[in-house]
Amino acid sequence: MQGSIEAVVVDTCVMGGGRLSIDKLVGLADRLATHSIPLWVPTQVVWEWAAHEVQSAVSHAAQAKALCKAGVDDGAEVTSPWRDFAGDTGRIAEDISQRLHARIGSISNVVIVPMLGDNAIAGLRDQVLGTGPGTKKSDVRTGGVDSSWVRDAVSHASQDPPYGLVFFTDNRSDVEKTLHELKIRVADADDTKDYGVRVCGPSEKALFDHVARAKPAGRAVRLALATHFATLTMDSDTVGDFHDGPALPLWASIISDISVAGVLEEDDFGHRDGMEDVTGVELVPGAQIVGVRDVAVDDVDHDAESGNHTVFVTFTLLVLCDLDIEGYHLDNSGVTVMDSGWVSDVVISVPCVAELDQDRTVATVRQSDTADAEPAGQRFSDPYEAFRWFLDALTGMSGMVVDTDSESLREGSIPDRMTVSGDSGSPIIVDIDQGDPGEPPTSWRAQADEVGMIVECHYDADSRVWLGRHDSFDRYPPYSVSSSSAHTRRTAGPWAGVAALWRAAAADV
């Protein structure tokens, strides 16, 4: 990026659903601090975050009142600071905004941008006249808030033009329209050498593509991260079938924002599994860590392996789980009907940022962006294609190396054995037994007795449709993969087996 960055300006909408995650805000500010870049939060953004919490506060007050009426009020545990507000949402919003203003203002490396009267008037003009970001949505004029906070950030900048600002938003259009109204050049998003104000988001990765270079993590960082999560897995007491696990492990608390578009079928009306909108997604107890992949460190002009500084590490955490999904739809009378569903055998990819201390121990871990859920299983047209999927899943994990008979792979056949090794330096032998061609049910089985892991490829005879004695076809791909380990019963996909191999080969436990 041209020149130095004066500040990153955060918008309301980069938080999941526009609701503040204080841990994410603190983590983002800390990460930017290593690059000597402050995080600016406009006053209007604080107000919007406050407004989005009003209904939660109203519910909290009502529940506290009900508990008191029931005689179980034992003091601070069930009291609410909004119990005496009589449901006045305006007073509640104002109280929350004051609390958030004080809390956010106390965070290191965060600056709350003050609201200026002239910019508020200009924003109101944009909204009424339809200039800048001003527009009409469902017969309601909008855009004034976005116009005013962008103008406030420009006024707060020390440079003119303010080319040191980076706007972090999921509403690129309104930010750019305001900047254009101010005759301020917006840099080309795809050209890091182009001059102008930067507008990016909503993912933290998109932001740091502009802020800092990332480089692949070295062995010490990968090993520290793998050991941290492998230890959490062993300590989470999830031995047994993950469908019926005893409780949600503590590490699962870092996962709060999950997209389920990949596991719910969409109909012609845009509804997913009958739901017009999804309002909540929760992991079901018994979730299991598969491992981490795509590990990189922020390049802050020092050696990440030297051990004399804090390192911020980005990675993707893979989790095998079931999901409990809640939502709603409108019936033919326009009445809201609440829905719920359970999706089994899901793998979620969770973008994360970890902070490693000077001794390379993991100090904090937080979710940085929305996690994506996908079915744990897939179907394939032949056993070799299924084996390559298993192999790709394994080699995609952090620090994993797989040695096979490469000649066999080039010829489209499956090897009889492979050696899996990782950053811990402990190689694991995986034996592969193959069934008779054409007639399984088991086409191949990969087994590592050392770690209690089995991955199998199965043929589904029901996929075949016969039109006559000599005429048939597959109505869907007939081959699928399942796996099991000492920690889980058989599940769809290779993930239980991949998890066992990754823990043993990539972590020091």
Side-chain angles (χ1 to χ4, degrees):
M1 180 175 178
Q2 84 289 346
S4 61
I5 298 175
E6 180 177 359
V8 169
V9 189
V10 67
D11 191 2
T12 310
C13 51
V14 296
M15 299 288 175
R19 301 187 66 175
L20 173 63
S21 165
I22 199 71
D23 289 341
K24 181 174 181 176
L25 192 69
V26 171
L28 183 59
D30 287 346
R31 189 178 176 192
L32 287 169
T34 64
H35 303 277
S36 301
I37 300 172
L39 179 64
W40 290 2
V41 181
T43 297
Q44 297 91 320
V45 170
V46 178
W47 290 353
E48 289 188 317
W49 282 336
H52 292 166
E53 299 304 324
V54 168
Q55 289 307 313
S56 294
V58 170
S59 298
H60 186 267
Q63 291 167 358
K65 184 176 181 179
L67 289 170
C68 291
K69 184 177 180 180
V72 294
D73 182 0
D74 57 353
E77 290 186 15
V78 293
T79 59
S80 168
W82 307 287
R83 262 179 57 184
D84 299 327
F85 282 46
D88 187 332
T89 56
R91 288 181 61 200
I92 293 173
E94 183 178 5
D95 181 75
I96 294 175
S97 70
Q98 292 174 356
R99 291 170 183 268
L100 287 183
H101 196 283
R103 177 70 178 89
I104 293 171
S106 69
I107 299 173
S108 177
N109 198 45
V110 169
V111 175
I112 295 182
V113 178
M115 189 173 180
L116 302 180
D118 287 345
N119 293 332
I121 294 172
L124 182 60
R125 182 196 65 222
D126 282 342
Q127 179 166 310
V128 173
L129 299 181
T131 54
T135 187
K136 185 181 285 189
K137 298 178 181 178
S138 301
D139 292 328
V140 177
R141 295 190 179 277
T142 66
V145 173
D146 291 316
S147 175
S148 65
W149 74 255
V150 172
R151 293 171 184 271
D152 286 340
V154 169
S155 298
H156 200 67
S158 62
Q159 302 173 356
D160 186 15
Y163 290 162
L165 296 184
V166 178
F167 286 90
F168 183 33
T169 179
D170 192 23
N171 187 11
R172 184 184 187 94
S173 175
D174 283 1
V175 172
E176 289 188 350
K177 286 178 180 178
T178 304
L179 294 171
H180 289 152
E181 187 76 9
L182 293 170
K183 305 297 190 294
I184 296 173
R185 176 180 171 80
V186 177
D188 186 338
D190 298 323
D191 187 353
T192 57
K193 296 182 179 180
D194 191 21
Y195 72 93
V197 173
R198 297 281 169 179
V199 182
C200 62
S203 71
E204 190 169 324
K205 181 183 184 305
L207 170 63
F208 275 84
D209 283 346
H210 292 290
V211 169
R213 301 180 306 274
K215 61 182 182 181
R219 177 183 177 276
V221 170
R222 294 197 308 265
L223 183 61
L225 200 61
T227 301
H228 173 77
F229 281 105
T231 302
L232 287 180
T233 299
M234 295 173 65
D235 293 343
S236 62
D237 200 22
T238 57
V239 176
D241 178 13
F242 85 89
H243 292 295
D244 302 306
L248 201 61
L250 293 177
W251 55 260
S253 63
I254 69 172
I255 306 171
S256 60
D257 182 13
I258 305 172
S259 169
V260 292
V263 295
L264 297 183
E265 294 186 7
E266 184 172 326
D267 61 22
D268 294 338
F269 302 98
H271 299 173
R272 299 187 183 277
D273 279 19
M275 298 182 193
E276 186 169 338
D277 192 17
V278 173
T279 57
V281 181
E282 297 288 342
L283 272 69
V284 172
Q288 177 191 358
I289 292 173
V290 175
V292 300
R293 63 185 182 192
D294 306 325
V295 184
V297 296
D298 287 355
D299 190 351
V300 199
D301 296 328
H302 50 51
D303 179 14
E305 298 292 335
S306 63
N308 59 0
H309 60 272
T310 298
V311 174
F312 282 90
V313 184
T314 61
F315 62 96
T316 301
L317 176 68
L318 292 189
V319 176
L320 177 64
C321 62
D322 294 344
L323 293 177
D324 189 8
I325 302 172
E326 295 184 348
Y328 69 87
H329 73 273
L330 301 179
D331 65 14
N332 294 333
S333 302
V335 177
T336 299
V337 179
M338 303 308 295
D339 297 313
S340 63
W342 182 305
V343 182
S344 298
D345 290 354
V346 172
V347 169
I348 58 174
S349 300
V350 189
C352 293
V353 175
E355 183 179 351
L356 271 62
D357 288 337
Q358 295 182 2
D359 61 356
R360 293 300 175 268
T361 58
V362 177
T364 62
V365 177
R366 63 179 175 85
Q367 181 178 355
S368 59
D369 294 309
T370 301
D372 291 319
E374 298 290 342
Q378 294 185 23
R379 289 193 166 274
F380 303 93
S381 58
D382 60 68
Y384 177 75
E385 185 181 11
F387 179 77
R388 288 307 303 246
W389 181 51
F390 166 47
L391 196 60
D392 290 344
L394 193 54
T395 56
M397 306 305 295
S398 167
M400 297 292 277
V401 177
V402 179
D403 292 326
T404 63
D405 184 347
S406 57
E407 186 65 29
S408 296
L409 290 176
R410 282 195 296 269
E411 293 175 354
S413 61
I414 299 170
D416 296 327
R417 171 175 289 192
M418 61 185 186
T419 303
V420 178
S421 56
D423 288 322
S424 70
S426 303
I428 299 168
I429 302 299
V430 179
D431 292 311
I432 304 168
D433 297 325
Q434 300 183 54
D436 295 332
E439 290 296 334
T442 301
S443 297
W444 55 260
R445 171 184 292 176
Q447 185 167 343
D449 293 334
E450 183 179 345
V451 297
M453 179 282 304
I454 297 176
V455 178
E456 292 181 333
C457 176
H458 305 278
Y459 175 79
D460 183 0
D462 291 336
S463 66
R464 201 70 177 170
V465 175
W466 292 87
L467 304 179
R469 180 177 298 179
H470 303 294
D471 190 7
S472 65
F473 66 94
D474 290 322
R475 57 194 176 97
Y476 55 82
Y479 293 93
S480 62
V481 175
S482 65
S483 61
S484 63
S485 73
H487 294 272
T488 62
R489 206 169 65 182
R490 184 160 304 280
T491 61
W495 307 109
V498 170
L501 289 169
W502 179 79
R503 281 195 301 269
D508 188 10
V509 292

